[in-house]
């Protein structure tokens, strides 16, 4: 991966060192432990690791309260352990993304201690933002609304109030002061010199302040960021800066500048809208936000995610939408925090494998580089009773044994208790058992990542929505040069019929991406793909009845090259006669595409009043797809 645009094709995995693997049995994950688990991450297929803050810190904000920018928290190891980790990651082709939390420090940071003791107006005091009154900047909102009543806190030593956008133990650095910016650049160079590939700049929108403003997205802040970028480019190649700005896309757009500010930025508002679309069974919220997203310079990239270490933030939706999300996804008030929801992906999906797959499929197929949150690849649960956002930061579940294989310490000593309930507990949900099971969520996720990595079209291609009449179906193409991918997503809980106008692909040869067959593919129930190659090569992997029906379809296809009947499992008897058992089966059909252009035949039961023969004339120019919940993707070569 020597491409300077490597981040555009990246699949990023967000992990918490302290929750990943404990190598010295003190109940806290550490760098040596993480290094030991790199093979797992390489096997999963991710290409970049994002680590939450691991610096010396009083840990009142789980490390986002940094007390020393140039060291490792002793619980996690030493700088040497860190260097070994970086080398081991690089040896496996994995990039390393770490946090640069420079909007604020811990109040324990020597800069702050120095500042409060120094006289007002001195260079030391000026590292932070001070005021004699707590009434200054009334236009600025409070972010941690559950815990903070003001953005000012009184410091008795300094005899002044200091400014803080987050917790009151996190004073904001004064980025209006060039000396602060210089100090930050030194920190940034320190880590890049150690081999780190990318930096996530936490809370970038709040760096500078200005009288009479909201203190967000100020021009002064952009000037600081452009300077950081210029200094990175002057000293390094292939290093990447990622912005955390929880804003609407039009407000985030300036953080890319003309390709001279950030390489990447999170796209926050996509995330709640994916969840909303699923619950509403309507593609509108998602299409709206993507169509509203301004284009960005060619060298830039969005970072998209479903869940992360924070609450599922609802800051960027309307009040009505927020209430809807709370009602649907966080009925238990304990699951709510600030303006969000502190839960993980699997419980949000009520453990429904199909919905988890649909969401992960979208994460991989929508524009941007996907970010997976550790544990979500196995469907880990959360614990909303742990306080703050620890609900989603519990130890990784490696196996069903003692402490889930995370640590050999006494269970009481673990920094957070494991998830141990009957549904999501480590006995039921863990890496080891899922590795053994070919159909597990873990193995499915691995294959999904593999498919994403087959082509650059996902990371770099344009998106176009197809907007069929059925608004429960979200269909879009991603196109890069002569290559296009079609993604069809059924947002509904029931099977849906949809007609897609694919006339612009007439003459193209479809390739089913999971099986890579160019000849044709069959999908059964929308979530199992069988191809001729699959059947030849992976006979044993198919469940018996899947194999039987696919095989039958192939035989029929080979006989006369038109398909009279197609169907799922045992609803088709061996004489090719359709025998629906339940009403639901009527629309639960399959679809085959042959090499002969775009001919697709839906398996309409005659009781629907339409026969396959009727359809064959109508579908010359378009692809008919029946899909039950799940994700279907087709790749066309022009
Ligand atoms: C960012 C982090 C969050 C932290 C906050 C304050 O938003 O993602 O975890 O609490 O900054 O440092
Ligand atoms: Ca440890």
């Amino acid at each position: 991966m020597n491409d300077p645009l490597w981040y555009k094709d990246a699949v990023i995995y967000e992990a918490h060192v302290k929750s990943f693997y404990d190598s010295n049995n003190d109940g806290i994950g550490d760098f040596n432990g993480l290094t030991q688990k790199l093979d797992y991450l390489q096997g999963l297929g991710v290409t970049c690791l994002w680590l939450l803050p691991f610096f010396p810190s009083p840990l009142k904000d789980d490390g986002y309260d940094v007390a020393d920018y140039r060291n490792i928290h002793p619980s996690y190891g030493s700088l040497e352990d860190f260097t070994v980790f970086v080398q081991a990651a690089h040896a496996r082709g994995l990039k390393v993304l770490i946090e640069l939390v420079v909007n604020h420090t811990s109040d324990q940071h020597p800069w702050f201690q120095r500042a409060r003791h120094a006289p007002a107006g001195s260079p030391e005091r000026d590292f932070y933002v001070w005021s004699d009154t707590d009434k200054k900047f009334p236009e600025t909102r409070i972010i941690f609304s559950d815990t903070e009543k003001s953005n000012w806190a009184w410091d008795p030593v300094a005899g002044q109030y200091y400014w803080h956008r987050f917790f009151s133990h996190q004073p904001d650095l004064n980025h209006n002061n060039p000396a602060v910016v210089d100090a930050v650049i030194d920190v940034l160079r320190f880590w890049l010199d150690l081999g780190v590939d990318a930096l996530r700049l936490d809370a970038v929108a709040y760096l500078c302040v200005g009288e009479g403003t909201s203190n967000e997205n100020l021009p002064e802040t952009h000037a600081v960021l452009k300077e950081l970028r210029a200094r990175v480019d002057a000293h390094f190649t292939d290093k990447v800066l990622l912005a955390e700005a929880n804003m609407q896309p039009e407000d985030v757009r300036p953080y890319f500048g003309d390709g001279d500010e950030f390489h990447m930025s999170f796209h926050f508002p996509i995330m709640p809208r994916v969840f909303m679309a699923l619950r509403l069974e309507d593609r509108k919220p998602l299409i709206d936000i993507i169509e509203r997203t301004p284009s960005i310079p060619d060298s830039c990239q969005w970072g998209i995610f479903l869940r992360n270490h924070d609450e599922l933030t609802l800051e960027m939706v309307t009040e009505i939408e927020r209430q809807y999300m709370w009602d649907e996804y966080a009925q238990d008030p304990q699951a709510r925090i600030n303006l969000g929801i502190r839960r993980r992906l699997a419980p949000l999906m009520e453990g429904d494998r199909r919905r988890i797959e649909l969401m992960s499929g979208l994460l991989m197929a929508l524009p941007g580089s996907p970010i997976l949150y550790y544990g979500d690849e196995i469907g880990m649960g959360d614990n909303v009773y742990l306080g703050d956002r620890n609900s989603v930061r519990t130890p990784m579940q490696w196996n069903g044994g003692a402490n889930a294989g995370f640590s050999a310490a006494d269970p009481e000593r673990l920094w957070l208790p494991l998830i141990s309930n009957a549904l999501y507990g480590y006995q039921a949900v863990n890496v080891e058992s899922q590795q053994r099971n070919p159909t597990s969520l873990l193995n499915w996720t691995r294959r999904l990542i593999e498919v994403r990595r087959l082509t650059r079209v996902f990371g770099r291609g344009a998106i176009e929505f197809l907007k069929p009449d059925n608004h429960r179906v979200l269909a879009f193409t991603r196109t890069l040069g002569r290559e296009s991918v079609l993604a069809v997503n059924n947002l509904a809980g029931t099977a849906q019929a949809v007609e897609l106008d694919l006339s612009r692909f007439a003459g193209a040869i479809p390739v089913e991406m999971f099986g890579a067959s160019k000849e044709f593919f069959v999908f059964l129930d929308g979530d199992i793909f069988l191809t001729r190659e699959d059947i030849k090569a992976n006979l044993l992997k198919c469940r018996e009845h899947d194999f039987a029906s696919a095989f039958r379809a192939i035989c029929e296809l080979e006989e006369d090259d038109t398909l009279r009947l197609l169907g799922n499992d045992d609803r088709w008897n061996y004489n090719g006669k359709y025998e629906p058992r339940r009403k639901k089966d009527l629309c639960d059909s399959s679809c085959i595409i042959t090499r002969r252009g775009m001919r697709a035949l839906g398996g309409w039961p005659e009781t629907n009043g339409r026969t396959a023969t009727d359809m064959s004339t109508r579908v010359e120019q378009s692809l008919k797809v029946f899909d039950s919940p799940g994700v279907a993707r087709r790749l066309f070569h022009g």
Side-chain angles (χ1 to χ4, degrees):
M1 278 214 294
N2 282 331
D3 184 345
L5 298 181
W6 61 267
Y7 50 95
K8 298 197 80 164
D9 309 308
V11 177
I12 301 171
Y13 186 91
E14 177 186 6
H16 207 3
V17 178
K18 78 199 282 198
S19 285
F20 213 59
Y21 186 57
D22 172 20
S23 72
N24 63 348
N25 307 330
D26 62 356
I28 305 170
D30 41 57
F31 273 105
N32 288 337
L34 180 60
T35 304
Q36 288 176 42
K37 293 297 184 186
L38 284 173
D39 287 340
Y40 166 75
L41 295 169
Q42 188 184 21
L44 182 59
V46 298
T47 64
C48 177
L49 300 186
W50 158 23
L51 303 182
L52 294 177
F54 46 72
F55 316 99
S57 158
L59 301 178
K60 287 187 182 169
D61 185 12
D62 208 5
Y64 280 94
D65 46 334
V66 180
D68 177 357
Y69 280 119
R70 293 159 188 260
N71 218 327
I72 307 287
H73 191 290
S75 294
Y76 311 149
S78 62
L79 270 175
E80 202 188 325
D81 298 340
F82 178 77
T83 316
V84 170
F85 155 74
V86 172
Q87 282 162 358
H90 286 169
R92 288 166 179 78
L94 294 165
K95 301 276 188 188
V96 176
L97 161 61
I98 70 163
E99 295 271 349
L100 190 69
V101 190
V102 291
N103 175 68
H104 46 268
T105 66
S106 159
D107 57 8
Q108 301 306 307
H109 195 286
W111 291 346
F112 186 73
Q113 290 305 322
R114 201 177 65 180
R116 62 200 296 231
H117 287 103
S122 64
E124 291 80 13
R125 177 73 69 98
D126 275 356
F127 254 54
Y128 294 83
V129 182
W130 301 92
S131 163
D132 293 328
T133 139
D134 60 356
K135 301 286 175 286
K136 207 172 158 183
F137 303 145
E139 299 87 353
T140 307
R141 72 190 165 116
I142 293 168
I143 298 167
F144 285 170
S145 49
D146 280 3
T147 37
E148 301 297 332
K149 297 287 161 263
S150 166
N151 285 319
W152 291 105
W154 174 252
D155 182 43
V157 176
Q160 277 192 307
Y161 293 94
Y162 61 87
W163 181 242
H164 62 88
R165 290 308 304 275
F166 296 94
F167 290 120
S168 57
H169 56 73
Q170 285 167 320
D172 274 34
L173 281 165
N174 174 15
H175 285 266
N176 297 56
N177 175 358
V180 168
V181 178
D182 283 341
V184 162
I185 288 169
D186 284 348
V187 172
L188 172 154
R189 289 187 55 180
F190 175 82
W191 291 103
L192 295 181
D193 280 336
L194 281 177
V196 161
D197 303 286
L199 295 165
R200 169 191 183 270
L201 271 79
D202 184 68
V204 284
Y206 319 126
L207 296 189
C208 292
V209 289
E211 208 86 51
T213 71
S214 67
N215 288 317
E216 301 192 356
N217 310 320
L218 300 190
E220 294 87 335
T221 294
H222 286 289
V224 166
L225 292 168
K226 282 199 165 63
E227 182 170 353
L228 295 191
R229 170 66 183 268
R231 301 278 280 272
V232 169
D233 285 354
H235 290 99
F236 303 96
T237 46
D238 303 352
K239 304 287 187 188
V240 169
L241 300 179
L242 163 64
E244 188 221 18
N246 184 357
M247 303 274 154
Q248 296 297 350
E250 54 275 15
D251 295 324
V252 176
R253 173 63 187 81
Y255 289 89
F256 294 113
D258 298 321
D260 57 354
E261 218 169 299
F262 279 94
H263 303 80
M264 284 187 75
S265 175
F266 292 106
H267 197 314
F268 274 90
I270 282 190
M271 182 267 308
R273 284 174 177 83
V274 183
F275 286 91
M276 225 184 290
L278 185 73
R279 207 62 171 202
L280 288 165
E281 303 195 345
D282 195 315
R283 65 193 180 215
K284 189 173 186 315
L286 192 53
I287 294 188
D288 280 356
I289 192 70
I290 293 180
E291 288 188 338
R292 181 182 154 183
T293 299
S295 65
I296 56 177
D298 273 351
S299 60
C300 294
Q301 177 74 322
W302 294 106
I304 60 172
F305 57 94
L306 297 168
R307 291 299 300 111
N308 63 18
H309 64 289
D310 286 328
E311 68 273 31
L312 191 170
T313 162
L314 300 173
E315 280 168 302
M316 292 301 125
V317 298
T318 64
E319 236 163 85
I320 295 169
E321 292 170 331
R322 187 176 308 135
Q323 202 51 56
Y324 177 76
M325 286 288 289
W326 271 332
D327 289 347
E328 293 296 329
Y329 287 111
Q331 269 162 13
D332 179 354
Q334 194 69 30
R336 304 177 188 183
I337 181 173
N338 300 322
L339 292 184
I341 300 171
R342 48 179 161 194
R343 304 192 67 195
R344 271 188 179 268
L345 181 63
L348 284 165
M349 296 297 108
E350 293 161 328
D352 180 350
R353 171 77 181 264
R354 286 187 156 187
R355 276 187 264 173
I356 296 173
E357 290 186 4
L358 175 65
M359 295 292 273
S360 306
L362 282 171
L363 177 68
M364 291 293 155
L366 289 170
S369 292
I371 299 156
L372 278 96
Y373 187 51
Y374 85 91
D376 284 350
E377 76 272 28
I378 53 172
M380 255 170 70
D382 48 44
N383 179 353
V384 298
Y385 306 104
L386 287 180
D388 201 358
R389 290 147 291 170
N390 284 343
S391 49
V392 299
R393 299 178 186 177
T394 60
M396 182 69 177
Q397 297 170 191
W398 293 105
N399 61 44
N403 292 334
F406 161 70
S407 168
D410 286 335
E412 296 78 8
R413 206 176 163 189
L414 302 191
W415 89 273
L416 280 183
L418 285 150
I419 303 294
S420 53
N421 64 57
L423 259 184
Y424 301 105
Y426 59 93
Q427 293 92 342
V429 175
N430 65 70
V431 170
E432 195 185 275
S433 61
Q434 294 199 18
Q435 272 171 338
R436 289 207 309 250
N437 176 6
T439 64
S440 65
L441 180 60
L442 176 62
N443 278 318
W444 183 85
T445 308
R446 196 176 43 72
R447 277 197 299 279
L448 180 70
I449 295 172
E450 216 170 81
V451 168
R452 163 138 186 144
R453 290 183 58 191
L454 286 175
T455 160
R456 286 183 161 173
V457 77
F458 290 115
R460 306 187 186 211
I463 187 165
E464 201 180 315
F465 292 102
L466 282 131
K467 302 187 184 164
D469 290 343
N470 186 342
H471 54 89
R472 293 185 165 162
V473 174
L474 171 70
F476 55 88
T477 56
R478 302 290 316 275
T479 305
L480 183 71
R482 286 166 55 80
E483 189 180 43
S484 292
V485 170
L486 168 67
V488 184
N489 305 277
N490 178 2
L491 302 171
T494 51
Q496 298 291 314
V498 66
E499 186 168 349
L500 300 173
D501 177 7
L502 293 170
S503 44
R504 77 184 169 93
F505 295 107
I509 299 170
V511 179
E512 192 286 301
M513 295 193 74
F514 281 78
S517 170
K518 284 198 178 126
E519 301 211 6
F520 58 83
F521 66 90
V522 184
F523 62 96
L524 305 171
D525 273 331
D527 56 4
I528 302 159
F529 291 81
L530 291 176
T531 66
R532 192 196 293 267
E533 275 86 15
D534 277 344
I535 288 160
K536 275 194 204 139
N538 293 330
L539 198 62
L540 296 175
K541 280 198 195 153
C542 307
R543 279 178 292 157
E544 221 171 287
H545 67 276
D546 295 333
F547 168 66
S549 70
F551 185 71
R552 191 158 56 253
I554 290 159
C555 291
E556 287 170 9
L557 191 72
E558 281 176 343
E559 258 166 41
D560 60 8
D561 210 33
T562 53
L563 205 74
R564 289 180 310 272
L565 297 171
L566 267 178
N568 305 336
D569 56 72
D570 54 359
R571 279 172 301 226
W572 298 90
N573 67 28
Y574 279 89
N575 302 320
K577 207 163 171 301
Y578 185 73
E579 287 174 326
R581 295 217 199 109
R582 295 158 305 201
K583 192 140 183 285
K584 165 180 167 295
D585 294 343
L586 294 178
C587 49
D588 218 358
S589 296
S590 298
C591 168
I592 270 202
I593 297 178
T594 74
R595 189 187 264 288
R596 300 192 165 188
M598 292 299 305
R599 204 145 51 118
L601 301 177
W604 272 266
E606 294 185 335
T607 42
N608 249 4
R610 300 150 112 187
T611 62
T613 332
D614 289 342
M615 297 318 299
S616 63
T617 48
R618 292 188 50 215
V619 295
E620 268 325 309
Q621 292 291 302
S622 71
L623 168 66
K624 289 280 179 185
V625 179
F626 273 97
D627 193 10
S628 36
V631 191
R633 291 167 208 81
R634 265 135 267 158
L635 173 68
F636 297 89
H637 287 303

